Amino acid sequence: MKKGNKEIQQILSDSSKLQDFAGWNELSISAAREILQRLQEKPDISDEVNKYIWSNESSDDLKGYVSGEEKGYKRGHEAGFAKGAFLGVLAASSALAAYFLKKK
């Protein structure tokens, strides 16, 4: 289970955590539950939700959280890709060097 799904499951299984989540996001408990259950099924943000997040109706905390998540994911993905590419080049060059040294 992915980390996000594990956290969502913990919130859904604990009524006090669910109430806190609903309160922080200015939602009813049933709406919060529905959103969290949907996030487990479809973790991508739909266009409607994205419009709501950036509208005047949502809180600044929610906007800040989403911005931080997006930027953190992007930086993590870029760093992971760069590390993978570097290790791939290093492994290929090491294999070539070993091959040429073995031939000599």
Side-chain angles (χ1 to χ4, degrees):
M1 185 181 287
K2 291 183 179 179
K3 183 183 177 197
N5 280 343
K6 194 182 267 188
E7 291 172 351
I8 290 171
Q9 192 58 42
Q10 287 175 349
I11 293 170
L12 287 170
S13 63
D14 186 342
S15 62
S16 65
K17 287 182 181 180
L18 183 60
Q19 286 178 336
D20 289 342
F21 177 82
W24 293 328
N25 293 294
E26 300 174 3
L27 300 167
S28 68
I29 292 175
S30 60
R33 181 179 291 114
E34 187 68 31
I35 288 170
L36 290 172
Q37 288 172 341
R38 177 121 190 241
L39 278 174
Q40 283 187 308
E41 298 166 12
K42 291 179 127 184
D44 296 328
I45 296 175
S46 68
D47 289 337
E48 294 87 21
V49 173
N50 209 15
K51 286 178 187 176
Y52 170 76
I53 290 171
W54 300 109
S55 72
N56 291 333
E57 296 175 30
S58 70
S59 68
D60 289 338
D61 290 336
L62 179 60
K63 291 174 186 168
Y65 174 78
V66 171
S67 295
E69 283 290 311
E70 288 174 355
K71 191 160 191 105
Y73 175 80
K74 184 178 176 189
R75 284 186 180 168
H77 178 72
E78 289 169 353
F81 178 79
K83 182 179 178 183
F86 173 74
L87 290 176
V89 169
L90 184 62
S93 62
S94 297
L96 285 173
Y99 174 75
F100 287 120
L101 288 174
K102 186 178 178 182
K103 264 191 137 183
K104 286 187 178 186

